[in-house]
Amino acid sequence: MGRRLYAARAPENKRGEIDISAYPPERIRNFSIIAHIDHGKSTLADRLLEHTGVISKSGKNKQVLDKLKVERERGITVKAQSASMFYEHNGEKYLMNLIDTPGHVDFSYEVSRSLAACQGTILLVDAAQGIQAQTVANFYLAFGEGLEVIPMLNKVDLPTAEPERAAQQIESAFEIESDKILHISAKTGLGVDQVLPAVIEKTPPPLGSVEKPFKALLFDTWYDTYVGVVCLMAIKDGSIKRGDRIVSTHSGTKYEVAEVGIMHPEQTPTTLLQVGQVGYIVCNMKSIAEAHVGDTFYKDRQPVEPLPGFVPAKSMVFAGVFPIDAGEFDSLNESIQKLTLNDSSVSVHKETSAALGQGWRLGFLGTLHMDVFRQRLEEEYDANVLITSPTVPYQIKYTDGVTKFIQTPADFPDANIMQDFVESTMEPYVSATILFPEKYLGAMLELCTTHRGEIQNHTYIDETRVMLKCHLPMAEIVTDFYDKLKSKSQGFASFDYEESGYRTSDLVKMEVLLNGEAVDALAAVMHKTMVVTVGRDIAKRLKEVIRRQLFDIIIQTAANGKIVARETVKQLRKNVTAKCYGGDITRKMKLLNRQKEGKKRMKKIGRVELPQEAFLSIMTKSQS
């Protein structure tokens, strides 16, 4: 049996607080794991925690750092989580701070915030799949932050693994020599004992001095029912302990520190936090509105130059969120505030709909981000919500030179204003990168062109894999583009995108009319070429879900003042002539005419109630 290389847990005081003052910056390493989705980041984190004795080697450790229910159900990481480990290398004890990051493009803001607290990162690549789109995106994110990138090939034990080919891809794409790439298997533990020594030797220690005044960057927060807001901070200078008073640069509010500690992997109190370390601080912050990710904190009466912070997340997809029961508005409002504290990339604005009542217009980074947010609302806060169809922000340029941003279809100008006062309409475009096997090249080119895409170029990253770059309208991506991508490539294609500005486009607003009345919640903005197809599809689906009434319901879709499609839900009719046994025809006609008059009156005063299925029907993707 070889000697175990992890260090014993640091000594505790009477309060149960760990003393980590013996770890100066030169013996601290802050690193993260970045990769494409499902390349084994969370599994590698499990093995590292086992290897350093943070968790026991029970064999039951699966996604220990994926603490949310939605993460375990979906098998993906949506929230960056940190864990501190004590490790001995060449006779020296080190404090290793690991941050596990999401792999999906919709959660790239989590990755960028996590990298700001690190000096190095492990770039993990699946030896069977090779480089994927998000691998490329995350590499350049880390490279832009100036971090030391440590490449590793995972899943080398699989029968389908091709480590030589994957290493060649890494060398050609990122100019990293293949002999510097570690070969590991996070599942079996093969080569995992080489990971932390490589991190220690290649990752530079954090900069800063314990002698300087305290300065810390707030890069994550969450809400605790008992202590209020918990702040996760990277200490850039000085030290902090329980009882100290700290000040927020953003608001100027003063707080008294009640507890400091590290994630080990759960909250574990320590005697202090000092320069280079990453840990949590409980400071009696009760109001959710007080926590601002990217804020700089300093000790009272020792002001410092604020840190740059983070570029605010730019919402790419907007959707309306409404409570199903209007009486739950206040509780849902509180739930959304608590959840946005833990996910600062969501933008929140209140809005009112004539059909759905009071609600919110929320901005997300993508459709998966929106779906995960809805699931977290339902599972963590028992909320019953209705989410409207996702839209993207548009720009309207008026003839007087004013440019206005449109986040909801209800704000889009009607046909008369468009004709007389609008100079141009613009929609957001993205620069997309698609990686796939060579045999799907034709299908991928066709997919991009049918979604109004402009092909830029395609290059071979090795003998069998192609990287395609193109410009796509954001509105095309938020519908069913990703599903079609996976379908046409049999699951082999990967997709990543970044914003590339606004372009002039021929946009129109399509309204849904029920008996001549517009339903604002079902309105949509789209390209002129799609109006007829989408209009007919919506009218047909609404006819299937709207319940029959005692009067006819006329469903119409209209754009630019013209009716595009029409469907009719026939009225329910009572057989008023059932008791007429023979006799003159005028008796039957008299009864039928009386019923007809009653139907006319009913149509004037009758209201069409839209069931929830009607909204869900519009949100589901067209099968055509």
Side-chain angles (χ1 to χ4, degrees):
M1 290 288 289
R3 184 170 60 88
R4 300 179 83 179
L5 294 177
Y6 60 81
R9 181 168 160 143
E12 297 182 0
N13 62 12
K14 291 179 180 178
R15 289 178 171 269
E17 297 171 334
I18 300 177
D19 184 7
I20 55 173
S21 59
Y23 294 90
E26 56 270 18
R27 284 199 277 119
I28 296 173
R29 297 292 184 272
N30 300 317
F31 69 102
S32 62
I33 305 174
I34 56 174
H36 188 78
I37 190 169
D38 201 32
H39 277 207
K41 295 181 301 300
S42 298
T43 309
L44 177 59
D46 291 345
R47 296 295 85 77
L48 293 178
L49 292 173
E50 288 177 358
H51 187 62
T52 52
V54 177
I55 56 177
S56 63
K57 297 184 179 181
S58 63
K60 296 179 181 178
N61 298 318
K62 291 183 179 178
Q63 299 171 291
V64 172
L65 294 184
D66 287 351
K67 299 174 182 178
L68 301 176
K69 187 180 177 184
V70 64
E71 292 178 317
R72 294 183 174 276
E73 286 179 355
R74 291 174 179 254
I76 60 172
T77 303
V78 302
K79 182 74 187 148
Q81 300 287 356
S82 66
S84 297
M85 304 170 286
F86 300 101
Y87 183 73
E88 189 174 322
H89 178 65
N90 292 340
E92 295 277 352
K93 293 180 180 179
Y94 289 85
L95 175 61
M96 315 290 289
N97 294 314
L98 158 69
I99 302 179
D100 183 24
T101 62
H104 196 278
V105 59
D106 281 13
F107 305 102
S108 57
Y109 188 65
E110 285 285 321
V111 180
S112 63
R113 287 194 293 115
S114 302
L115 294 179
C118 299
Q119 286 76 47
T121 185
I122 294 172
L123 180 70
L124 204 62
V125 177
D126 188 326
Q129 296 183 30
I131 286 178
Q132 302 288 300
Q134 199 61 25
T135 313
V136 179
N138 284 340
F139 170 81
Y140 286 111
L141 209 56
F143 188 76
E145 289 280 342
L147 303 187
E148 183 66 37
V149 178
I150 307 163
M152 295 186 189
L153 283 177
N154 191 22
K155 305 184 184 180
V156 294
D157 60 315
L158 291 179
T160 55
E162 298 180 73
E164 291 78 16
R165 186 174 66 87
Q168 186 186 346
Q169 289 178 5
I170 293 173
E171 187 169 0
S172 62
F174 307 135
E175 298 180 355
I176 297 173
E177 295 175 18
S178 56
D179 58 350
K180 293 183 179 179
I181 302 170
L182 282 178
H183 292 219
I184 66 168
S185 170
K187 188 173 183 179
T188 63
L190 173 70
V192 172
D193 57 339
Q194 304 171 36
V195 173
L196 290 178
V199 171
I200 290 171
E201 289 163 11
K202 295 181 181 179
T203 303
L207 301 173
S209 169
V210 74
E211 306 298 328
K212 289 184 179 179
F214 170 74
K215 177 163 49 171
L217 172 70
L218 173 65
F219 70 94
D220 199 6
T221 53
W222 63 90
Y223 190 81
D224 186 286
T225 311
Y226 300 102
V227 298
V229 180
V230 181
C231 304
L232 196 63
M233 298 191 189
I235 315 300
K236 299 296 184 181
D237 282 312
S239 63
I240 189 79
K241 63 182 185 299
R242 182 171 45 83
D244 288 346
R245 291 181 66 81
I246 58 173
V247 184
S248 161
T249 304
H250 182 271
S251 64
T253 311
K254 297 178 183 179
Y255 304 96
E256 183 173 338
V257 177
E259 185 182 308
V260 297
I262 56 175
M263 305 303 291
H264 191 64
E266 302 301 327
Q267 288 178 217
T268 306
T270 59
T271 52
L272 83 168
L273 288 175
Q274 60 185 18
V275 59
Q277 294 171 357
V278 174
Y280 71 90
I281 295 178
V282 176
C283 56
N284 298 315
M285 191 184 288
K286 298 299 182 186
S287 171
I288 295 165
E290 296 175 51
H292 294 272
V293 170
D295 196 0
T296 302
F297 281 79
Y298 60 89
K299 279 187 180 176
D300 191 18
R301 297 178 184 173
Q302 296 180 19
V304 295
E305 188 70 25
L307 294 160
F310 304 113
V311 177
K314 200 162 191 177
S315 300
M316 301 293 282
V317 175
F318 290 87
V321 175
F322 298 88
I324 290 176
D325 181 359
E328 296 176 355
F329 179 84
D330 291 333
S331 63
L332 184 57
N333 185 35
E334 189 178 340
S335 300
I336 288 175
Q337 284 184 351
K338 288 178 181 177
L339 196 48
T340 50
L341 176 71
N342 192 229
D343 187 355
S344 57
S345 58
V346 179
S347 64
V348 183
H349 302 283
K350 287 188 178 179
E351 76 167 6
T352 304
S353 163
L356 300 173
Q358 281 189 306
W360 300 264
R361 171 68 41 173
L362 301 186
F364 304 97
L365 302 181
T367 47
L368 177 65
H369 186 204
M370 179 184 80
D371 199 33
V372 165
F373 189 88
R374 175 199 58 76
Q375 191 173 339
R376 289 186 69 185
L377 266 180
E378 292 175 351
E379 290 179 349
E380 296 175 30
Y381 298 97
D382 294 323
N384 291 314
V385 296
L386 176 69
I387 296 190
T388 62
S389 186
T391 61
V392 298
Y394 297 101
Q395 277 187 18
I396 307 294
K397 191 174 182 180
Y398 291 90
T399 50
D400 60 0
V402 175
T403 301
K404 186 179 177 183
F405 277 90
I406 303 295
Q407 294 181 357
T408 171
D411 297 335
F412 200 85
D414 59 28
N416 294 331
I417 295 175
M418 287 285 290
Q419 191 173 354
D420 298 333
F421 301 104
V422 173
E423 182 182 317
S424 63
T425 54
M426 291 175 281
E427 66 176 325
Y429 269 68
V430 296
S431 178
T433 304
I434 307 172
L435 274 80
F436 50 87
E438 181 190 20
K439 65 179 180 178
Y440 301 111
L441 178 59
M444 294 297 103
L445 291 172
E446 182 190 0
L447 178 68
C448 291
T449 51
T450 53
H451 282 76
R452 299 191 287 128
E454 297 175 7
I455 308 297
Q456 298 300 299
N457 59 64
H458 65 275
T459 54
Y460 285 79
I461 59 172
D462 63 14
E463 295 83 7
T464 60
R465 292 179 65 78
V466 180
M467 183 190 293
L468 174 68
K469 290 187 178 290
C470 64
H471 288 297
L472 285 163
M474 186 67 198
E476 296 289 336
I477 293 174
V478 303
T479 52
D480 55 355
F481 182 83
Y482 193 73
D483 290 349
K484 287 182 179 177
L485 177 85
K486 289 295 182 184
S487 175
K488 287 181 179 289
S489 67
Q490 296 179 321
F492 285 105
S494 61
F495 174 66
D496 178 63
Y497 61 86
E498 59 183 16
E499 184 191 4
S500 66
Y502 281 77
R503 295 190 186 186
T504 303
S505 188
D506 199 352
L507 302 172
V508 294
K509 176 183 177 180
M510 191 184 72
E511 293 181 301
V512 177
L513 309 174
L514 296 180
N515 284 349
E517 287 189 18
V519 183
D520 60 344
L522 297 181
V525 177
M526 63 191 67
H527 194 263
K528 193 175 182 179
T529 56
M530 300 170 62
V531 169
V532 175
T533 308
V534 176
R536 287 175 179 168
D537 183 57
I538 288 176
K540 198 177 293 181
R541 280 189 281 166
L542 281 177
K543 183 182 178 181
E544 293 171 3
V545 294
I546 292 178
R547 299 182 189 96
R548 292 175 70 189
Q549 310 281 336
L550 293 173
F551 51 90
D552 282 348
I553 300 173
I554 299 167
I555 304 166
Q556 295 170 311
T557 51
N560 282 338
K562 296 178 182 177
I563 302 300
V564 175
R566 169 181 167 143
E567 295 284 349
T568 304
V569 179
K570 287 295 183 182
Q571 62 193 11
L572 290 168
R573 290 185 61 181
K574 182 181 176 183
N575 188 359
V576 292
T577 62
K579 294 180 181 178
C580 289
Y581 299 102
D584 190 55
I585 187 66
T586 54
R587 290 182 62 201
K588 287 186 177 182
M589 293 306 299
K590 184 179 177 183
L591 291 168
L592 288 169
N593 286 331
R594 190 184 297 168
Q595 184 187 46
K596 196 175 179 181
E597 291 299 319
K599 295 284 186 191
K600 277 185 183 177
R601 285 197 303 274
M602 199 177 288
K603 190 173 180 179
K604 288 178 183 176
I605 61 170
R607 284 184 56 113
V608 182
E609 287 196 5
L610 275 176
Q612 188 181 346
E613 295 81 42
F615 296 100
L616 296 175
S617 172
I618 299 300
M619 280 177 258
T620 54
K621 301 168 187 66
S622 172
Q623 298 301 313
S624 57

